[in-house]
Amino acid sequence: MAETVARSEFILGGQKSGKSRRAEGLARRWTDASPAHRAVLIATAQARDEEMRERIARHQRERAERVPGMVTVEEPVALARALHAHSTPHTLVVVDCLTLWLTNLLMPADGNPSADAAGPTAALCAAIGASQGPVVIVGNEIGLGVIPMGREVRAFVDALGGLNQRVATACERVTLMAAGLPLSLKDRHD
């Protein structure tokens, strides 16, 4: 029996754990289920160097093969507003990735960071709850290792841990990915 698409799912994991692949699989399942269904990806990454530009281009090519017709919207900061703008009853919205969004807020390229992420996080959680169609959020779990040496890095790890907890509370389903395998942490969808 195929897993159903939840109203909201938060997919966590380490780098290259299969998070984005799972999100794309859910988007493909959604679009294949009905000709009226569509999928939108809200991408938070910013191409600040050549390696990142190449990475983004590769992801775009691969995503186009795995989920034909999925529209990509680039929004590095105004995530709640973008979610409101693209959410419809027949549209599954994928946000990839929450970790880069927090980085964009707290460590922007222009050097003018937000005081904190509490306001934008509350707005994002409200947008998840108000979403008209399914939402899939992708983020990194980076708190499983040793405590970082630098003050700024410790502060970021703490901020991301808090953000992950709030988004997990806002979502019906939470999935941890490891080695391409999903582990259900929470599922209020069933």
Side-chain angles (χ1 to χ4, degrees), residues 11-17 19 99 139-142 175-178:
I11 303 170
L12 289 165
Q15 198 164 331
K16 296 297 179 192
S17 62
K19 303 178 304 293
T99 311
N140 292 79
E141 174 53 70
I142 65 171
T175 304
L176 177 67
M177 296 298 296

Side-chain angles (χ1 to χ4, degrees), residues 138-151:
V138 176
N140 292 79
E141 174 53 70
I142 65 171
L144 298 173
V146 298
I147 297 172
M149 294 291 288
R151 181 178 60 83

Side-chain angles (χ1 to χ4, degrees), residues 111-160:
N112 293 315
S114 297
D116 64 55
T121 297
L124 174 61
C125 290
I128 292 168
S131 186
Q132 297 178 50
V135 178
V136 178
I137 311 280
V138 176
N140 292 79
E141 174 53 70
I142 65 171
L144 298 173
V146 298
I147 297 172
M149 294 291 288
R151 181 178 60 83
E152 292 86 5
V153 178
R154 282 191 303 273
F156 182 80
V157 171
D158 290 349
L160 183 59

Side-chain angles (χ1 to χ4, degrees), residues 22-37:
R22 175 173 173 83
E24 291 168 357
L26 292 169
R28 180 67 186 253
R29 190 172 304 134
W30 175 259
T31 57
D32 286 352
S34 168
H37 287 180

